[in-house]
Amino acid sequence: MNLLPKLPLADGIDAIVNWLKSIDGLFDVPKAVIGFLVEYISIGLSAIPEWLFILLVTALAWFATKKRVGLPIFVFLGLFLIENLGYWNDMLLTLSLVLTSAGVSVLFGVPIGIWMAKSKTTENIITPILDFMQTMPAFVYLIPAVVFFGIGMVPGVIASVIFAMPPTVRLTNLGIRQVSTELIEASDAFGSTPLQKLVKVQLPMAKKTIMAGVNQSIMLALSMVVIASMIGASGLGTKVYYAVGRNDAGGGFEAGIALVILAIILDRITQSFNRQKGAA
């Protein structure tokens, strides 16, 4: 038995959503920009012949791992397997969505993290928001994405950005705050401006931590892009979603293997570059 009447929370949220939707052009610009990015990244990747793409990514892995053979061999064989199974175009589309989502997450996440590092008040305000973003079930992000942007690739990217951004913000803030106070005092003693101190001292020293956040954002973006197949975001996630609906264990396993290979390649290459930068 409820002692108090139910709070009209759902009605309030619906009212806010309807008000936002009534503002002409509010969501047109981000929809157009994100749609443009996804389309042209996909077109650019598709224009590269399969054999050349495999060789280029293998060479990238070779360079990232400082000429160690383990990861390049895995990249070569993994991409060859994806092409052989017939999931090449779906893999490229998923990669386009991940690159767009991760890129937007970094574009906004790093400045927000810097802002948090510079202001304790900002950190106190944004931290609960990040907690909310990270603890909210991933499927819930699909609802506002569909409400404001409809069905398709763009709402999938929007949901992925919201889901993937917190690690970049948190680790950028952490990395800058962990910079040695002695270095900060030395830069102040030499008369550095706040911008010079940020660009020449704090960001280089925090680079390894920031890159760890970028790596996590890429992985979260990939996982969310798969979930976003439920609202029309095409790619490997769609193949998995269809396989579940048809109870197709074999097809689902093939698409899942392609996703695992792509995830490992993205994770290992970004981690290798991070270790390389850190060692340097």
Side-chain angles (χ1 to χ4, degrees), residues 36 57 149 154 166 233:
F36 174 84
V57 179
F149 298 98
V154 173

Side-chain angles (χ1 to χ4, degrees), residues 7 16 113 117 150 201:
L7 296 174
I16 294 174
V201 178

Side-chain angles (χ1 to χ4, degrees), residues 157-177:
V157 172
I158 294 293
S160 300
V161 168
I162 298 172
F163 186 67
M165 190 187 299
T168 296
V169 177
R170 288 186 185 277
L171 290 177
T172 298
N173 175 37
L174 178 64
I176 292 177
R177 287 185 179 276

Side-chain angles (χ1 to χ4, degrees), residues 34 37-38 41 95-105 157 161:
I34 291 174
L37 289 174
V38 173
I41 290 176
L95 181 59
S96 302
L97 292 169
V98 171
L99 291 178
T100 304
S101 303
V104 175
S105 297
V157 172
V161 168

Side-chain angles (χ1 to χ4, degrees), residues 40-109:
Y40 281 91
I41 290 176
S42 178
I43 291 173
L45 294 176
S46 300
I48 305 173
E50 288 89 341
W51 62 269
L52 180 58
F53 187 95
I54 292 173
L55 291 179
L56 288 174
V57 179
T58 302
L60 179 64
W62 174 268
F63 173 75
T65 56
K66 297 183 178 180
K67 301 182 180 180
R68 296 175 182 172
V69 298
L71 181 60
I73 291 175
F74 175 84
V75 170
F76 182 85
L77 295 178
L79 292 177
F80 178 80
L81 178 62
I82 293 175
E83 195 279 332
N84 179 263
L85 294 175
Y87 292 102
W88 187 261
N89 291 331
D90 295 303
M91 184 274 293
L92 292 182
L93 192 51
T94 298
L95 181 59
S96 302
L97 292 169
V98 171
L99 291 178
T100 304
S101 303
V104 175
S105 297
V106 172
L107 181 64
F108 288 96

